[in-house]
Amino acid sequence: MELACTGNESSRNLLSVSSPRPNHPSISKYPKSVSVEEGIEAKALFCVIGMTCAVCAGSVEKAIKRLPGIREAVVDVLNNRAQVLFYPVLVKKETIQDSIEDVGFKATLIEEEMIERSVHIFRIHIKGIACTSCTRTMEFALQGIHGVQNLQVILETEEAEIQYDPKIVSHNLLIEAIEDTGFDVILISTGRDRSKIQLKLDGILTDLSKRMVKNSLQALPGVEAIDFDPTFKKVSISYCPDETGPRNFIQVIESTGSGRFKAVINPEGEGEDSHRQKEVREYLKSFIWSLVFTIPVFLLSMVFMYIPGIKHALNTKVVNMMNIGELLRWILSTPVQFIIGRRFYIGSYKALRHGSANMDVLIASGTNAAYFYSVYSVLRAATSQDFMSMDFFETSSMLVSFILLGKYLEVLAKGKTSEAIAQLLDLAPKTAVLLTFDSEGNVTSEQEIDSRLIQKTDVLKVMPGSRISSDGFVLWGQSHVNESMITGEARPVAKRKGDDVIGGTLNENGVLHVQATRVGSESSLSQIVQLVESAQMAKAPIQKFADRISKFFVPTVIILSFFTWLSWFLAGKLNWYPKYWIPSSHDNFHLALQFGISVVVIACPCALGLATPTAVMVATGVGASQGVLIKGGQALESAQKINCIVFDKTGTLTIGKPVVVATRLLQNIDVRDFFELVAAVEVNSEHPLAKAIVEYAKKFREEENQVWPEAHGFISITGHGVKAKVQNKELIVGNKSLMLDCSITIPVEAEKILKETELMTQSGILVSIDGHMVGVITISDPLKPSAQETISILKSMNVESIMVTGDNWGTANSIAKEVGIETVIAEAKPSQKAEKVKELQSKGLVVCMVGDGINDSPALVAADVGMAIGAGTDIAIEAADIVLIKSNLEDVITAIDLSRKTFFRIRLNYVWALGYNLVSIPIAAGALFPSTGIRLPPWVAGAAMAASSVSVICSSLLLKNYKRPKKLDALEINEIKIE
């Protein structure tokens, strides 16, 4: 029997909306694994005996970092020390010590120090970030600032997430440091909680009135931070939703100063989405303006020179040998070079000032070489009687235009990669109907409000056909709610008084009154979005390959460009190639210069930098839409290598909603009294089998809400059962092993019942009262309809399946035989599950653990990839790398298949990005020119460079068309029929 009892620990469905109502345990926020944004941090120093080399140190470090709540771990193999920074609310020092000893070393705690350190996170939108060189520039600027702990940048959304200690450094100082590197920064969120509201103010004109409003707001409980933007008359307020809410802020502001001030919630469309739209508009505007000047330059250089009448006019001399055509091209190309293209100068200057080189450096180098040589040539013609100038003004202006076009298309394509998040956010309705009540509970008024103004405990009216505005529970009414957009459940779910509902789901046929329990960033929808956003922030290990290359890419290209120019120039001077190779009106210097400029502008580090993160971003978004939440690139990369899956039984292979099917009493005791005692003990446990017993025991009660007798000295023996004292009777409820450990004699009749239940793949729970066996409760937990087919499909994918369960051998073997699993480990404790995972890993297998219970958490952490069933507990979800929110077993296949297709796409992106640079740079340098006469003019090279980044993004966007294996569609149809 897999009875993982957890005392009073709370667990819930991932998407349930249980609230901390009276007499109910508090529900912890999900997902905790995204980040520990603020809390007391502890430092522990361990003496680790047995380490001999860096490999040993790596093993210890990896074992520690697998634990939840670890911020940092540093292992010193020379001094046999391991220093760990951790959050005691999530992990204990004893657990860390055990994890070190689990990998084969002796660990002793030397000292532990509590550090009063607040870890804050703020998120920013960065304008102008183009490649990994830009990321390194930011890292270089921030790494010298004391108090900065971590920086994660995502190129596709141009966002960064920075962890810092607010007691040491402020986020404003960090923003200034980033802006000093050449990037424009827009603050998205800051502080511990992402519950933040922005209000538009009217009436605040002076510093005094601003202080009045600020002091009034700070007096409210739960207000954490207040930021004023006097330019746009806005105030941003970060707050704790348990204590206050946005309607309180508006009321306080409007009551300050005798009603002189007014506040409304900031209109939609002024958030980070608008920043992207603004950037798209800016690039489009710059591109159009560049065309206004570039098209005339192109016509003057490439078209009008071949029209006799116009050619004669353009060749008319102005000063000495300088003609009208050259002067016009100079005048028209100058605004393109210095006004429209100033962004490249600013970016390259600030990058070089910080000792790095990015894409802007390449662009500025190429366009400057073409422009300033042209200026020199024209000025020399103006001061000479016989020098015929040869300018490249069309090259510099066309380069800028093509690059701006490429940037415009790139920003457009990047916006497509985050559409999954936008679609999730669109599920939330814009407005809600707020109800107010009198003292007798009668509705006195209805008011339509912005859904962002909903506060905890608000009662909302939900009409048929409208979406539920907030997570909560039904106070009044009956209806059916379509939750498929969140849970994947195809059929509407019946809801009545007391049932939980999820914000964003669709109310179908009845009126409901819903009390809000989780609002803002605490809602299920917001937490899924936060998880996807955090996953998209995390780099996949394969990204390090591109980072290493990009570090040397730009300097190498500039050196190659110089040597290309020098080689062709010297070859011309030394007559190593025939004169007819030089185009008319050119000389060998011009030819060499064109080759050098082409090399600079055709090279593209952006394509390399975008190859992995764009694919990861699209894949995590697609996964979320399929009900598979992937916590970052590391999990995605590991999933594609899985060749062995370890399945838990209860709630994973089985439905997880067991029911009592039979009760056999072995002594003379009333069945009503029997279940009264057993339920009084099991009500303290969160295990599915315990819940089944409690639910069954309710049938013998006269009153629905009658309180169970109090259980004293409750003890949970994980994987075995529970003990407690009820009405002065000592009760032990659990499996056979627990009874034997407690020296309880098991009668022959009970043994016979247990064997019968095992043959029928049922679980038999033994009940002992005061040391005597009094009954056996038989519980059936049917297999999930998709279990057998899922195991079969995994075999066809060359993935081995193993079942590890705490249930007895008989039941375990029967279940395994039914689903087609050959390897079974039964009666396993949580630590033994983790040991089995490590044993498989030692054989060279890439192991995935699929589970849903608290007792699965150690194995989920130990596995290369942990997958938690969405209906599982908070701790299991916390420990997992991938969450299957629909609780469908076949989503294991979806996760692996999506991962494999994603990394096929990433490899394809790298082949293209590397192949493009390896092939295009030699061609631009003139490698084919001697044999074929093919050469790339600089403006063609610029167009190719712009196209390369866009092509990589478009390649990643093809993942949006991902379809899960067709076998699963047929399997889902069968599952619906069975249900």
Side-chain angles (χ1 to χ4, degrees):
M1 178 181 64
E2 190 174 4
L3 192 58
C5 305
T6 59
N8 291 319
E9 289 191 68
S10 168
S11 66
R12 61 176 173 83
N13 186 294
L14 165 63
L15 297 173
S16 71
V17 207
S18 301
S19 64
R21 310 174 208 166
N23 301 321
H24 283 68
S26 299
I27 305 299
S28 58
K29 274 181 66 176
Y30 165 76
K32 301 172 195 167
S33 59
V34 173
S35 59
V36 179
E37 296 185 346
E38 179 175 286
I40 302 302
E41 184 179 292
K43 180 173 72 176
L45 187 64
F46 296 89
C47 175
V48 184
I49 304 299
M51 296 189 297
T52 58
C53 62
V55 175
C56 299
S59 299
V60 173
E61 184 176 341
K62 185 178 179 182
I64 296 171
K65 287 184 174 180
R66 276 180 171 170
L67 296 172
I70 301 296
R71 192 178 73 76
E72 188 55 76
V74 180
V75 180
D76 181 0
V77 69
L78 296 177
N79 296 305
N80 295 320
R81 300 285 179 94
Q83 180 175 286
V84 185
L85 297 179
F86 65 104
Y87 298 96
V89 294
L90 295 180
V91 64
K92 303 300 180 186
K93 58 184 182 295
E94 292 83 4
T95 308
I96 300 171
Q97 184 174 341
D98 290 341
S99 71
I100 298 172
E101 292 180 345
D102 283 344
V103 292
F105 303 98
K106 174 70 174 175
T108 307
L109 181 67
I110 299 175
E111 63 182 64
E112 181 190 30
E113 178 185 352
M114 297 300 292
I115 309 169
E116 290 289 337
R117 181 180 295 176
S118 297
V119 182
H120 276 205
I121 286 180
F122 75 97
R123 294 176 65 230
I124 54 175
H125 178 82
I126 314 158
K127 295 178 65 178
I129 189 168
C131 60
T132 50
S133 294
C134 302
T135 304
R136 288 201 310 276
T137 301
M138 287 179 56
E139 290 172 347
F140 182 80
L142 293 177
Q143 67 184 5
I145 301 177
H146 187 50
V148 176
Q149 298 173 358
N150 192 26
L151 166 68
Q152 288 183 317
V153 182
I154 183 163
L155 291 173
E156 307 72 57
T157 57
E158 297 184 349
E159 290 181 10
E161 190 173 85
I162 302 170
Q163 291 184 15
Y164 69 103
D165 188 342
K167 296 179 181 178
I168 300 174
V169 64
S170 70
H171 69 267
N172 291 324
L173 179 63
L174 298 179
I175 289 175
E176 288 176 10
I178 296 170
E179 288 177 336
D180 194 43
T181 62
F183 304 107
D184 293 330
V185 175
I186 300 168
L187 185 66
I188 297 174
S189 65
T190 182
R192 171 182 63 83
D193 203 306
R194 296 193 184 190
S195 289
K196 184 176 181 179
I197 197 76
Q198 193 174 71
L199 302 176
K200 210 170 184 68
L201 306 178
D202 185 26
I204 297 182
L205 302 174
T206 65
D207 290 338
L208 176 62
S209 58
K210 192 168 69 173
R211 283 197 300 272
M212 288 174 60
V213 170
K214 188 171 184 178
N215 291 337
S216 299
L217 289 172
Q218 285 177 333
L220 286 173
V223 173
E224 296 170 348
I226 302 170
D227 291 317
F228 278 95
D229 184 350
T231 306
F232 298 100
K233 294 185 177 181
K234 296 176 185 175
V235 59
S236 297
I237 307 167
S238 298
Y239 63 97
C240 176
D242 287 325
E243 301 178 56
T244 189
R247 293 205 309 282
N248 294 344
F249 307 147
I250 292 175
Q251 183 180 357
V252 165
I253 291 171
E254 294 185 346
S255 63
T256 302
S258 303
R260 283 190 297 136
F261 311 123
K262 298 295 179 184
V264 295
I265 196 163
N266 199 46
E268 291 280 8
E270 297 189 21
E272 55 188 286
D273 286 343
S274 65
H275 300 316
R276 181 170 296 282
Q277 293 302 319
K278 184 180 178 183
E279 187 177 21
V280 169
R281 289 194 299 270
E282 285 178 356
Y283 273 117
L284 180 59
K285 181 180 177 182
S286 297
F287 172 64
I288 291 172
W289 273 110
S290 71
L291 287 183
V292 170
F293 295 98
T294 299
I295 290 175
V297 172
F298 174 79
L299 294 174
L300 288 168
S301 300
M302 305 292 183
V303 179
F304 294 161
M305 297 306 293
Y306 298 98
I307 302 175
I310 300 177
K311 178 180 179 181
H312 176 73
L314 293 174
N315 285 333
T316 303
K317 301 297 186 287
V318 179
V319 179
N320 290 328
M321 296 299 290
M322 183 179 73
N323 60 41
I324 292 176
E326 293 165 349
L327 182 61
L328 287 174
R329 289 194 293 272
W330 184 7
I331 293 170
L332 290 168
S333 64
T334 299
V336 178
Q337 184 72 23
F338 297 108
I339 299 175
I340 299 170
R342 70 184 180 277
R343 67 178 72 235
F344 305 121
Y345 283 97
I346 295 170
S348 58
Y349 165 71
K350 293 188 175 180
L352 291 171
R353 192 180 66 177
H354 287 86
S356 64
N358 59 10
M359 197 67 211
D360 291 335
V361 173
L362 293 181
I363 296 168
S365 299
T367 56
N368 278 340
Y371 179 84
F372 284 109
Y373 174 76
S374 301
V375 171
Y376 159 77
S377 180
V378 171
L379 289 177
R380 185 176 174 186
T383 58
S384 173
Q385 297 291 334
D386 55 4
F387 180 79
M388 293 288 293
S389 74
M390 177 61 198
D391 66 82
F392 294 102
F393 287 123
E394 81 283 352
T395 296
S396 65
S397 57
M398 289 174 71
L399 272 176
V400 171
S401 296
F402 274 116
I403 290 163
L404 287 173
L405 173 61
K407 287 289 184 183
Y408 167 69
L409 295 175
E410 187 177 316
V411 172
L412 273 181
K414 282 179 180 179
K416 299 291 184 182
T417 61
S418 56
E419 280 186 350
I421 292 178
Q423 290 169 0
L424 285 171
L425 290 173
D426 285 343
L427 293 176
K430 304 299 181 186
T431 60
V433 177
L434 177 68
L435 300 178
T436 53
F437 298 84
D438 58 20
S439 57
E440 297 179 358
N442 300 314
V443 177
T444 58
S445 67
E446 298 181 6
Q447 179 187 2
E448 187 173 55
I449 62 170
D450 191 304
S451 60
R452 292 173 294 171
L453 293 176
I454 297 173
Q455 298 180 186
K456 281 192 175 180
T457 71
D458 281 348
V459 179
L460 310 170
K461 183 178 181 180
V462 186
M463 299 298 292
S466 62
R467 293 192 182 277
I468 296 170
S469 305
S470 170
D471 291 2
F473 63 93
V474 178
L475 278 181
W476 176 88
Q478 293 186 24
S479 183
H480 285 80
V481 175
N482 186 336
E483 299 180 342
S484 61
M485 64 286 295
I486 300 288
T487 65
E489 174 59 52
R491 296 176 302 176
V493 181
K495 300 291 182 181
R496 59 180 182 177
K497 183 178 178 180
D499 288 341
D500 296 322
V501 291
I502 305 168
T505 54
L506 184 66
N507 180 30
E508 293 204 335
N509 56 6
V511 178
L512 295 176
H513 290 181
V514 175
Q515 182 169 344
T517 57
R518 294 209 302 270
V519 298
S521 63
E522 290 187 338
S523 69
S524 300
L525 195 59
S526 294
Q527 289 167 4
I528 290 173
V529 169
Q530 288 174 26
L531 180 58
V532 176
E533 286 178 338
S534 297
Q536 292 174 344
M537 284 279 186
K539 286 185 179 180
I542 196 174
Q543 177 67 23
K544 295 177 182 177
F545 171 71
D547 292 345
R548 285 194 296 269
I549 293 176
S550 62
K551 185 177 181 180
F552 307 102
F553 189 90
V554 174
T556 302
V557 167
I558 292 174
I559 293 170
L560 283 174
S561 172
F562 173 76
F563 278 105
T564 298
W565 169 81
L566 184 63
S567 300
W568 279 100
F569 178 70
L570 292 177
K573 284 291 184 183
L574 299 174
N575 297 318
W576 287 355
Y577 59 80
K579 295 294 183 183
Y580 68 82
W581 282 12
I582 302 174
S584 59
S585 72
H586 279 54
D587 60 22
N588 67 312
F589 178 84
H590 295 132
L591 182 65
L593 184 62
Q594 283 202 348
F595 282 127
I597 293 172
S598 294
V599 169
V600 170
V601 298
I602 204 168
C604 186
C606 295
L608 275 171
L610 293 169
T612 297
T614 51
V616 170
M617 188 170 191
V618 175
T620 50
V622 169
S625 67
Q626 298 269 355
V628 179
L629 297 184
I630 304 168
K631 298 182 183 179
Q634 172 78 57
L636 192 64
E637 183 167 346
S638 298
Q640 51 112 14
K641 302 173 185 175
I642 292 170
N643 51 25
C644 178
I645 298 183
V646 177
F647 288 97
D648 173 45
K649 180 181 75 67
T650 305
T652 303
L653 290 173
T654 62
I655 290 176
K657 295 180 180 178
V659 292
V660 175
V661 294
T663 305
R664 301 283 291 275
L665 298 179
L666 306 177
Q667 292 191 11
N668 188 17
I669 182 174
D670 183 74
V671 68
R672 186 187 302 271
D673 296 337
F674 173 78
F675 273 104
E676 185 82 0
L677 295 171
V678 174
V681 178
E682 293 287 26
V683 76
N684 297 289
S685 173
E686 290 292 332
H687 194 277
L689 300 185
K691 290 181 178 180
I693 293 173
V694 174
E695 194 63 31
Y696 185 77
K698 290 179 181 178
K699 297 178 181 179
F700 299 97
R701 314 201 75 178
E702 295 178 358
E703 298 179 17
E704 185 178 347
N705 296 320
Q706 187 178 341
V707 179
W708 299 105
E710 187 175 356
H712 300 279
F714 177 84
I715 300 173
S716 168
I717 302 93
T718 305
H720 291 280
V722 293
K723 298 179 182 179
K725 202 166 192 175
V726 181
Q727 297 176 350
N728 293 320
K729 293 182 173 64
E730 193 76 34
L731 269 81
I732 302 175
V733 185
N735 60 17
K736 183 178 178 180
S737 298
L738 179 60
M739 297 301 163
L740 294 175
D741 290 343
C742 296
S743 302
I744 305 296
T745 303
I746 301 175
V748 176
E749 187 179 355
E751 292 274 13
K752 183 180 177 182
I753 295 169
L754 288 177
K755 288 180 181 179
E756 290 174 356
T757 59
E758 290 171 7
L759 292 174
M760 293 185 290
T761 65
Q762 297 171 344
S763 297
I765 296 180
L766 302 174
V767 179
S768 164
I769 300 178
D770 291 334
H772 300 287
M773 187 71 59
V774 296
V776 181
I777 302 173
T778 303
I779 295 179
S780 174
D781 185 9
L783 276 175
K784 287 183 176 177
S786 60
Q788 187 174 357
E789 290 82 356
T790 298
I791 301 302
S792 176
I793 294 172
L794 286 171
K795 283 182 180 178
S796 69
M797 296 170 67
N798 296 318
V799 178
E800 180 185 359
S801 297
I802 295 172
M803 187 174 77
V804 180
T805 177
D807 212 335
N808 61 73
W809 279 100
T811 303
N813 284 324
S814 298
I815 292 286
K817 184 177 180 181
E818 192 170 344
V819 298
I821 292 177
E822 297 176 359
T823 306
V824 181
I825 292 92
E827 299 180 8
K829 296 180 180 179
S831 59
Q832 292 172 328
K833 292 184 179 182
E835 287 168 7
K836 181 61 181 177
V837 167
K838 293 173 185 176
E839 179 188 329
L840 292 167
Q841 289 171 327
S842 67
K843 296 177 181 178
L845 296 172
V846 179
V847 181
C848 170
M849 173 69 194
V850 183
D852 72 322
I854 291 171
N855 57 340
D856 299 323
S857 299
L860 287 169
V861 173
D864 296 286
V865 179
M867 292 191 191
I869 298 296
T873 63
D874 281 340
I875 296 176
I877 292 166
E878 166 81 18
D881 301 301
I882 298 174
V883 181
L884 312 178
I885 60 174
K886 294 189 292 186
S887 299
N888 290 342
L889 198 58
E890 61 266 27
D891 284 342
V892 173
I893 296 168
T894 302
I896 296 173
D897 185 66
L898 175 60
S899 175
R900 291 180 178 181
K901 284 184 169 60
T902 300
F903 275 83
F904 171 78
R905 182 62 55 184
I906 288 173
R907 294 184 188 100
L908 204 62
N909 287 350
Y910 274 127
V911 169
W912 164 249
L914 284 171
Y916 164 82
N917 284 293
L918 291 174
V919 172
S920 63
I921 290 176
I923 293 174
L928 299 180
F929 186 63
S931 58
T932 64
I934 295 175
R935 67 184 179 90
L936 294 179
W939 65 270
V940 175
M945 182 276 291
S948 64
S949 294
V950 177
S951 63
V952 166
I953 296 174
C954 291
S955 171
S956 295
L957 284 173
L958 290 175
L959 285 169
K960 291 182 70 176
N961 300 323
Y962 169 80
K963 302 293 182 186
R964 64 183 195 160
K966 290 183 179 179
K967 295 178 181 178
L968 296 185
D969 295 331
L971 191 150
E972 184 176 307
I973 292 170
N974 292 335
E975 187 170 328
I976 291 173
K977 287 179 179 177
I978 292 171
E979 290 178 351

